[in-house]
Amino acid sequence: MDIGSKIRKSRVDAKLTQEQAAEALGISRQTISNWENEKSYPDIVSVLKMSDLYRVSLDYLLKGESSMSSYMDYLDESTNQVKSRRRLSALIVVLSYLTIWTLAILWFWFSPDETGKAMVYALGVIWIIIPLTTFILSLLIGEMDLWGRCKWFASIAFGIMYMLLAYMSFSLANNIATGKVNEPNWTLLLVGTVISLLGIGVGHLISILKK
């Protein structure tokens, strides 16, 4: 039995119409029809969703006669594409944060000294922009499940970077002015980590609700 016939049989056995299946999978009815008639193939993510929706095993959907070989080749390619997209998404998240973090440091050291600059930097950058950036990017990490179970450790990295932001600006300026080396503010490590954990948690919850 080919992949299209298996998809159709699984849907019918689950007592679902094409419209109902399409709505549950978040795709169009025409896409379901194309899969069942083998005008196009589902990617690995869609196969996993159909396995859950139709209550059939992946072995049933993916294993079979020699006519399935072309689909398996397609699925291998599709899986590699999904992995590539996830790696690209992870890279974009990391580079986005590092760019904003670096610009914040450069602004502190190289912007003109003006009255109230320290207050603007403290309130605008350290307590608004960076925490908001941390939360949003952490939410994306949780929603896209970047790095799998290891995604929760990203919160520690965010916490460290948040602490270093303050240390590389106010603390370093104070060290230079006084000639003394002060320790980083470890409280900021905790604050940054908690903000990131909240973002990842919300994103993870969103991904669960979408299923």
Side-chain angles (χ1 to χ4, degrees):
M1 187 181 295
D2 57 36
I3 181 66
S5 299
K6 287 185 176 183
I7 292 175
R8 182 186 300 108
K9 183 178 185 303
S10 298
R11 175 182 59 77
V12 172
D13 290 345
K15 295 181 172 56
L16 294 172
T17 64
Q18 287 187 344
E19 288 79 4
Q20 290 171 329
E23 182 178 357
L25 295 171
I27 56 178
S28 68
R29 187 206 63 79
Q30 186 59 49
T31 299
I32 293 286
S33 177
N34 289 341
W35 290 347
E36 294 183 355
N37 292 293
E38 294 198 53
K39 293 181 179 179
S40 63
Y41 289 135
D43 58 23
I44 184 61
V45 175
S46 298
V47 173
L48 289 170
K49 288 181 178 179
M50 282 190 289
S51 175
D52 290 336
L53 179 63
Y54 298 156
R55 299 184 183 279
V56 295
S57 68
L58 286 175
D59 280 349
Y60 171 75
L61 289 175
L62 299 180
K63 292 183 179 180
E65 302 171 2
S66 57
S67 59
M68 290 284 289
S69 60
S70 61
Y71 174 67
M72 295 304 293
D73 291 339
Y74 166 83
L75 200 57
D76 286 339
E77 181 181 351
S78 174
T79 302
N80 291 332
Q81 290 176 351
V82 170
K83 289 180 179 179
S84 296
R85 286 197 296 268
R86 290 173 68 85
R87 285 194 292 267
L88 179 60
S89 297
L91 180 61
I92 290 174
V93 167
V94 172
L95 290 180
S96 297
Y97 184 85
L98 290 178
T99 299
I100 295 172
W101 188 91
T102 302
L103 289 175
I105 295 292
L106 292 176
W107 184 82
F108 178 85
W109 286 104
F110 297 105
S111 63
D113 289 327
E114 298 175 352
T115 303
K117 173 184 174 180
M119 181 176 294
V120 170
Y121 186 83
L123 294 177
V125 176
I126 294 182
W127 293 111
I128 296 178
I129 294 177
I130 296 300
L132 186 60
T133 300
T134 297
F135 181 83
I136 292 174
L137 293 181
S138 296
L139 186 148
L140 293 176
I141 290 173
E143 184 178 359
M144 294 186 289
D145 196 30
L146 300 180
W147 302 297
R149 294 180 180 178
C150 294
K151 64 178 176 290
W152 299 101
F153 292 104
S155 60
I156 299 176
F158 278 115
I160 292 173
M161 295 301 291
Y162 187 51
M163 177 185 67
L164 288 178
L165 177 71
Y167 188 78
M168 294 294 290
S169 52
F170 285 116
S171 296
L172 185 57
N174 187 55
N175 290 345
I176 294 173
T178 62
K180 298 179 180 179
V181 177
N182 299 310
E183 287 189 2
N185 186 342
W186 297 102
T187 302
L188 294 180
L189 170 62
L190 177 61
V191 172
T193 300
V194 170
I195 292 173
S196 179
L197 282 173
L198 288 173
I200 295 174
V202 171
H204 184 65
L205 179 60
I206 291 174
S207 69
I208 293 175
L209 294 176
K210 284 183 176 180
K211 294 181 179 179

